[in-house]
Structure formats: C-alpha cells, structure tokens
Amino acid sequence: MTDRDEPTLEPFGFLAPPSAAGPAPAPTPDDTWDLGGGWAWVYYGDGNNHLTRPVLLSDGFETGPSSLDGLWEGLERRDFAFISELRRTGRDLVLIGYENRSASILDNAEVATRAVLRAIAERLGDAPLLVGGFSMGGLVTRYALAKLEHENVDHQTAVYLSFDTPHRGAWVPIGLQALAHFLTATPALSRQINSPAARQLLWRHISTVEGTPAEDPLRTEFLDALRNVGSWPRRPRLLGVANGTGNGLGNGVPPGVEALQVTSGWFAGTTLWTQSSGTARQVAQLQGVLRKKTVSTDGLPDIDGAPGGTLESFGIAGDSLKLTGKTEVAHRSVNFVPSVSAVAIGDLDSDQSLYRDIDEADPGESELDEFSLSSTNEPHAHMSEELGRWILDRLPS
C-alpha cells in the first residue's frame, strides 16, 4: 500500500467558510464592468438612474472567482440587509470581484484601481467616493488607493473602509496548514495554503509539512510594497470595523487542547491541538497510509482563543475527514483575524498584545482614524446590524 492509496477528499477551505449551498441568485445589476482580471457589479441607489454617489466594496479571499450571489447573500440576506439600507440613502453600490481571489493582492489591486477610475469617469456630479473591502479586500483597496496617491492620481475618495481586514496578519493554525500539505491525495488544499494571497495574508506560514512557521517571503515583499507607497492612503478618512471584541475577552477556545481527532479510518490517530505558547508545543500528530508526522511550534502565542473574527477551520476539516472515518471535533471555530489586527492597533506576537483591552486603549494608537469592534466574537466578515449601522452613519456626505 502506498500514499496513492489514500482516498481523495473533496477540497475544503481553511481560509474561508464553506460557501452556502446554492445561495439564491442576486438581483440583476444595473451595470456590469469588465475590469480585466475581475468585474464590478453596479447597483444604483434608490432614486438614481446613473452612478451618482458611489460606494465601492471589494471581495476578499477564497479560491476561484468571486461570486455575486455569494456576496449578495452575505451582505443582504443574513442578520442585516446592509445593501438595502445603503441604497436607501441614495448611495450606489459597486461590488468588486476577481477572476482569482487567491491571486496576489498586488495583482488584484490593479483590478480595484480600474474600478475606482471607472467610477470616477462614470459618476454624475462630484460626490466623493467610499472605497474599501471585506477581509483581504480591505488590503487590496488600501494598497490601490495608496499607490494612486503615490503616483499623484486623484482617487477622489473621502472614506476608506476595512471590514475585519487583517492589517497586521491573519491566522490559520499551523497544525491545519501541516494537514493540508500532508494530504497528498488532495493537493488543492496545499495549493490553497501556498497561494500568493494566502502567503501574503498569513502572519505565520508553512509551505510544506516539514516547514518552520515564519513570515513568508511573499508577505515580506507585500509589506515592503505597501510601505513603498506610503503604507496607507492619506487623503481619505480611514475607518475600520472588527468582528472581534475590544474588551480583551477571547472566544473561549483554550490553548493546548485537542481540537480535532480522527478515531477510525484512513487517518486514524490524526490529532490536532489548539495553539499554546512556549517551546516544543505539539500542534499536530498526522497519521496516514504508511507514514506519520509530528508537528510542533516554538514561541507562538495562545492565538486560537484570542479576540477576533472566527472561522470554522477545525470544523470544516473535521467534516471533510468524516468521508474517510470517524472524527471528533472539540473546537470547530478559532480566531482568524485578531481584533488588534483588524483595527491596526497591535501585533500578533504575544498574548499581551492579542488579549489587550482595546476599549481602554488610546484610539490614537491605531493606524485608523476611527474604528468599531463587535460586542461578541463573531464569524469573520459577518455583517451584523451593529457594525452595519456604524458604517452607514459614517458615509461620505
């Protein structure tokens, strides 16, 4: 028996929640722009029959092309009808999507740039723009606007908005990254973890099951590119919201405990643990056909339970592994975008920083001009009424 005898699993995501099965179709846009490498779907505000007061929002990370139906589902048909409320104010919504959401942030920033310039060209009047995005989309548009300023191009944007964007980095447990590389029969998982955007987003990354967690060279190059254009756009007011709390209370996931265990089948004995601080901390015992691998980390903080927007990373993996045997998942969701990262007020390298009480901090410590955090630690990029109303109250006049 060889590695080739391992069953092929259906691809499952570590960096984004599974897409809803068959979301209802979105309404037909009033206009669609082909931007070369992506699209913009345009919906006029109530009472408008032309682009007049544009709000441009960028899609975030996942594999493959952007889905208008998926975007509409998340923004309109869950807890808060954000699109309806936005259009009711007379604002026009421009949703920016990409042919490949896992491509380099720098490449997709070119698509976002073309969307901004197209909006300026097609807009009636001179109402300023709001430009931003969800998750990675906030980094895409942050870079696009900063680069336009660096090139002395007037982007005519009054407000920049990031929605649970990992300004200081995002987190996928090292044990899960190792599992993606270990499952050789499903190479799509490894390709997802090693995609350009994932390598740029993740605070710590491994490219192989034997790798040592570190900042990936592509992330270093992206951060250098961002600094080279001034790090942030300076003309607009910088706003940000986080799906995590600001009171320092985490999501309840304890460090160093079993998160996922495979108890029978092809991968019986595979166990993943939550991240704990210290040296030689075991985070994965991977067991496959005629091979096994122990994965440990050194010097990483208790990040899985930190305040922030969450993903069902262990849950999605456990559900998929059920195709091969029995699994037990003790902690489905863990931190993905720490609160300190989403509001650009702290780094991810220590428990002291991750669990700090942002509500009591000087707001001037943030690189944003103004920000808002959630009352509870919510799923990443979840459009709650709490955050949606905060955004609507700060639209450009």
Side-chain angles (χ1 to χ4, degrees):
M1 187 175 289
T2 68
D3 291 351
R4 293 181 182 179
D5 295 310
E6 292 180 0
T8 300
L9 302 179
E10 290 298 318
F12 57 96
F14 291 130
L15 301 186
S19 300
T28 302
D30 294 302
D31 199 0
T32 300
W33 303 339
D34 186 340
L35 300 171
W39 315 269
W41 297 289
V42 182
Y43 293 89
Y44 299 146
D46 289 0
N48 298 344
N49 55 18
H50 200 284
L51 196 68
T52 306
R53 303 173 75 187
V55 172
L56 287 76
L57 296 177
S58 166
D59 196 6
F61 178 91
E62 205 172 327
T63 54
S66 293
S67 164
L68 174 58
D69 295 343
L71 284 168
W72 196 274
E73 183 80 18
L75 293 176
E76 180 71 5
R77 296 185 177 131
R78 294 185 182 171
D79 290 351
F80 182 58
F82 177 78
I83 295 175
S84 292
E85 294 296 325
L86 175 72
R87 297 173 73 193
R88 191 170 292 127
T89 68
R91 268 73 175 191
D92 312 298
L93 176 62
V94 180
L95 292 171
I96 305 171
Y98 307 100
E99 289 182 357
N100 183 1
R101 288 172 288 179
S102 61
S104 168
I105 292 172
L106 302 178
D107 291 342
N108 280 334
E110 295 299 316
V111 178
T113 297
R114 289 191 282 272
V116 169
L117 298 179
R118 178 77 175 264
I120 293 170
E122 299 220 353
R123 173 197 55 185
L124 287 179
D126 58 1
L129 280 58
L130 180 150
V131 177
F134 304 93
S135 188
M136 182 193 73
L139 289 175
V140 171
T141 50
R142 172 182 163 185
Y143 179 81
L145 293 177
K147 186 169 184 280
L148 283 170
E149 290 184 5
H150 185 71
E151 296 172 346
N152 294 315
V153 178
D154 185 4
H155 52 61
Q156 300 185 34
T157 300
V159 174
Y160 161 80
L161 171 69
S162 66
F163 196 108
D164 214 36
T165 292
H167 292 295
R168 303 289 180 88
W171 169 253
V172 167
I174 299 302
L176 279 172
Q177 294 189 45
L179 176 64
H181 303 313
F182 185 79
L183 297 175
T184 55
T186 311
L189 301 180
S190 181
R191 288 197 297 267
Q192 183 192 37
I193 289 293
N194 285 340
S195 67
R199 293 166 63 186
Q200 291 166 329
L201 288 171
L202 292 176
W203 173 65
R204 292 292 180 265
H205 176 266
I206 56 172
S207 59
T208 70
V209 73
E210 305 289 342
T212 299
E215 180 176 287
D216 189 272
L218 273 188
R219 176 166 175 79
T220 303
E221 291 177 9
F222 168 67
L223 294 176
D224 287 344
L226 197 55
R227 281 190 288 270
N228 288 338
V229 295
S231 291
W232 294 86
R234 297 301 173 185
R235 298 175 190 172
R237 181 166 177 77
L238 307 178
L239 304 182
V241 299
N243 286 118
T245 61
N247 56 15
L249 298 179
N251 57 36
V253 175
V257 299
E258 286 187 5
L260 186 160
Q261 185 177 32
V262 183
T263 57
S264 69
W266 291 91
F267 303 105
T270 291
T271 305
L272 304 181
W273 288 267
T274 60
Q275 183 64 55
S276 60
S277 57
T279 59
R281 299 301 187 188
Q282 185 167 290
V283 294
Q285 178 64 49
L286 306 175
Q287 185 73 49
V289 179
L290 299 181
R291 63 196 179 113
K292 60 182 179 180
K293 172 66 179 175
T294 299
V295 181
S296 300
T297 63
D298 293 304
L300 299 183
D302 299 340
I303 190 170
D304 284 333
T310 63
L311 281 183
E312 290 191 10
S313 303
F314 287 117
I316 297 166
D319 292 346
S320 293
L321 287 169
K322 284 180 182 178
L323 297 172
T324 70
K326 183 179 179 181
T327 64
E328 297 176 0
V329 181
H331 297 284
R332 292 189 63 86
S333 297
V334 294
N335 186 18
F336 177 54
V337 178
S339 295
V340 293
S341 180
V343 300
I345 202 170
D347 292 322
L348 282 59
D349 54 355
S350 71
D351 291 342
Q352 182 179 7
S353 177
L354 285 166
Y355 291 85
R356 70 177 299 187
D357 189 337
I358 300 172
D359 293 340
E360 296 299 320
D362 180 356
E365 292 184 50
S366 170
E367 295 174 280
L368 298 165
D369 294 316
E370 190 178 5
F371 58 81
S372 181
L373 297 109
S374 300
S375 300
T376 60
N377 292 300
E378 303 173 331
H380 170 60
H382 172 65
M383 177 58 78
S384 66
E385 181 169 2
E386 176 184 31
L387 296 180
R389 293 288 183 196
W390 188 89
I391 294 167
L392 292 172
D393 288 342
R394 288 158 180 80
L395 297 172
S397 57

